[in-house]
Amino acid sequence: MTVTTAGALPEEIYDVVVVGAGVVGSAIARELARHPLRTAVVEASDDVGDATSKANTAILHTGFDAVPGSLESRLVREGQQRLAAYAAESGIPVEPVGALLVAWDDEQLAALPALADKAERNGYRDARIIGADEVYRREPHLGPGALAALDVPGESIICPWTTTLAYATQAVRAGVDLHLNCRVEGFGRAEELHRLHTARGTVRARYLVNAAGLHSDTVDRALGHHDFTVTPRRGQLLVFDKFARELVHHILLPVPTALGKGVLVAPTVYGNVLLGPTAENRDDRTATHTTAEGIALLREKGRRIVPALLDEEVTTVYAGLRAATEHDDFQIHAHPEQRYVTVGGIRSTGLTASMAIAAYVTELLAGAGLDLGEARDLDPVRMPNLGEAFPRPYQRAELIAADPEYGVLVCHCERVSRGEIRDALAGPVPPASLDGLRRRTRARGGRCQGFYCGAAVRELFVRRAELRG
């Protein structure tokens, strides 16, 4: 297992280098790890899933509303099945709560049949239109004025943090090198090899995969291609306290617009309720701050959807950026003459489609001449449960009896034990920051946001960092 965060890079020639360790890049690394290849991932950040992948609506989509016949439609449909099975095997929390696409006026009501037909054309046949009586029976706290809804029972909520970490952990355990703090600053090519110039030195590879997310078009241009331009689309979200959870039973979606699926209200696997996202096209690829205007907009829309939600306490707010482009589809292109594959324009459905994208990219690499060798099954990975619908360590008497550290709570808001923090800090892909530790354990992620447990969590983090040197 090799994870590096500093120092010179290995001088060996890799078969494949993947740029970017978000959920898609990590999924590609995991898929490549099934083959006898030397694979590396280079990531600018100090952690996996630290950009777009960490801040989204955490939905496992059915793809019912994708553009029929598109690559996205196919990969989301395939990816949903793959990820659902993988989550069950690896312990990633998933709750199949279903979605209701609510029509609030006559124009939206008239659009529901076309959306139902679109779902059919996308291969999803369980969607059906339900009347207002059934909508309110199933969502009694919904605001007044709902006329009907499209019921999509296959939509689920999932933990995005554990998904990315599971991919990366399995890849690293299978021999993939993960180089963090390794921003690519330039590209060259010599003797049929890609030469990636980074702040930590040069890494060489026979084949290159660009999964750089918000920067995928920049990498593409550096390789001589101008197929798409990324427009960062900011989405701000409000996270309501766990006491709000009983107010919402489904993912409540609006009828979509050209800017996306609009503002939704959805439960999370952590027991909270999300309201968002906004959809703001930005020029700045680092603009992940929230704004008073964005929060006000969300509160206005949320009061229409579930009025009582706005009376509940807000745990936190956050914003993420989606890699939107001028195209309606994923921008996944192979350039066999360069031994190069672009994976761009991966929007909010990228989490769902990640495993199917990885399989597709591997096929493209083979088509570009990469000898994959015989595939093997990877050793299974079992991730710690962060979901409220499944037993947490503090609830498992047999686990505490075997290891009392699981019975010592450090973060009382989120019920995180010292044993879980210890395990995360000693994991194959350990966190480099307290935020990374939060994504692995939920410590400091509750209603006090670390006010009470922050010092204790920091002490454990620093002590472990000192032991690692």
Side-chain angles (χ1 to χ4, degrees):
M1 292 188 287
T2 301
V3 179
T4 71
T5 58
L9 297 170
E11 294 185 357
E12 70 175 296
I13 297 172
Y14 290 104
D15 293 309
V16 187
V17 164
V18 180
V19 179
V23 69
V24 171
S26 297
I28 293 170
R30 176 193 168 276
E31 184 66 26
L32 291 173
R34 298 178 59 241
H35 301 273
L37 301 167
R38 284 295 291 139
T39 300
V41 181
V42 294
E43 165 58 46
S45 177
D46 61 7
D47 200 1
V48 300
D50 193 40
T52 299
S53 301
K54 73 178 179 183
N56 53 56
T57 49
I59 294 175
L60 182 59
H61 296 281
T62 59
F64 78 95
D65 55 349
V67 177
S70 65
L71 180 62
E72 181 181 21
S73 171
R74 175 167 74 86
L75 295 181
V76 169
R77 187 169 61 249
E78 294 176 4
Q80 191 268 347
Q81 295 173 1
R82 287 173 179 259
L83 181 49
Y86 182 70
E89 170 190 307
S90 58
I92 297 167
V94 173
E95 289 186 56
V97 296
L100 296 177
L101 197 79
V102 181
W104 295 97
D105 57 38
D106 290 338
E107 183 178 354
Q108 294 175 7
L109 180 64
L112 291 185
L115 287 164
D117 177 66
K118 192 176 190 180
E120 287 269 348
R121 288 185 287 144
N122 278 315
Y124 185 74
R125 294 179 174 79
D126 293 334
R128 66 185 181 98
I129 298 172
I130 60 175
D133 289 346
E134 184 172 349
V135 172
Y136 281 104
R137 180 175 58 77
R138 294 169 59 176
E139 285 289 352
H141 297 284
L142 201 65
L147 301 177
L150 183 68
D151 178 24
V152 188
E155 299 276 300
S156 302
I157 53 176
I158 187 171
C159 176
W161 304 329
T162 309
T163 304
T164 305
L165 185 62
Y167 293 157
T169 298
Q170 206 167 20
V172 167
R173 284 178 173 170
V176 171
D177 286 354
L178 173 61
H179 301 303
L180 302 169
N181 296 316
C182 197
R183 182 181 299 280
V184 179
E185 299 173 338
F187 295 87
R189 192 171 172 84
E191 300 175 349
E192 299 299 316
L193 296 176
H194 291 280
R195 300 175 68 87
L196 282 67
H197 306 299
T198 81
R200 295 178 51 196
T202 298
V203 60
R204 296 177 294 169
R206 296 169 56 230
Y207 288 80
L208 176 63
V209 175
N210 166 16
L214 292 166
H215 304 281
S216 54
D217 60 338
T218 304
V219 174
D220 216 36
R221 282 169 171 70
L223 274 292
H225 305 285
H226 300 267
D227 295 329
F228 63 95
T229 298
V230 170
T231 300
R233 183 168 294 162
R234 182 167 62 189
Q236 303 183 48
L237 296 105
L238 286 166
V239 181
F240 287 89
D241 190 85
K242 298 178 194 300
F243 288 122
R245 180 65 178 82
E246 64 179 19
L247 297 175
V248 182
H249 305 291
H250 303 77
I251 302 163
L252 300 175
L253 299 164
V255 175
T257 69
L259 274 180
K261 296 174 181 175
V263 173
L264 60 82
V265 174
T268 76
V269 294
Y270 321 117
N272 303 91
V273 175
L274 282 181
L275 169 61
T278 57
E280 313 156 46
N281 287 342
R282 314 294 299 178
D283 295 324
D284 184 356
R285 302 186 188 214
T286 64
T288 55
H289 59 279
T290 57
T291 66
E293 294 79 8
I295 300 304
L297 174 66
L298 292 179
R299 293 184 65 86
E300 175 188 339
K301 290 187 176 294
R303 191 172 298 283
R304 171 75 183 275
I305 302 169
V306 182
L309 184 62
L310 275 297
D311 296 328
E312 298 293 332
E313 294 186 1
V314 172
T315 297
T316 189
V317 299
Y318 67 92
L321 295 171
R322 288 103 85 185
T325 74
E326 67 273 38
H327 303 286
D328 289 332
D329 206 351
F330 289 165
Q331 296 300 297
I332 303 177
H333 306 295
H335 303 282
E337 73 287 356
Q338 286 182 294
R339 297 177 176 175
Y340 167 59
V341 176
T342 304
V343 189
I346 310 300
R347 295 163 297 194
S348 59
T349 53
L351 168 63
T352 300
S354 53
M355 297 189 81
I357 292 173
Y360 181 57
V361 168
T362 302
E363 289 176 8
L364 293 178
L365 288 168
L370 175 63
D371 181 4
L372 295 172
E374 188 172 348
R376 58 171 175 159
D377 291 331
L378 298 177
D379 291 337
V381 63
R382 192 68 188 172
M383 304 303 293
N385 169 42
L386 303 188
E388 288 296 305
F390 310 94
R392 300 276 307 284
Y394 78 91
Q395 297 170 310
R396 297 175 55 190
E398 86 290 356
L399 189 63
I400 295 170
D403 186 343
E405 290 288 277
Y406 293 114
V408 181
L409 292 184
V410 178
C411 171
H412 288 258
C413 294
E414 294 298 300
R415 309 288 199 273
V416 182
S417 68
R418 199 159 62 194
E420 293 168 273
I421 293 173
R422 176 203 60 199
D423 294 348
L425 293 172
V429 185
S433 67
L434 292 175
D435 282 344
L437 180 60
R438 176 175 54 83
R439 293 194 292 273
R440 287 161 174 79
T441 64
R442 290 173 43 187
R444 299 170 57 252
R447 68 182 57 137
C448 90
Q449 291 289 287
F451 182 84
Y452 292 103
C453 67
V457 174
R458 179 180 293 278
E459 181 182 357
L460 293 171
F461 179 81
V462 170
R463 188 186 306 165
R464 180 66 191 181
E466 290 174 346
L467 287 174
R468 287 201 303 264

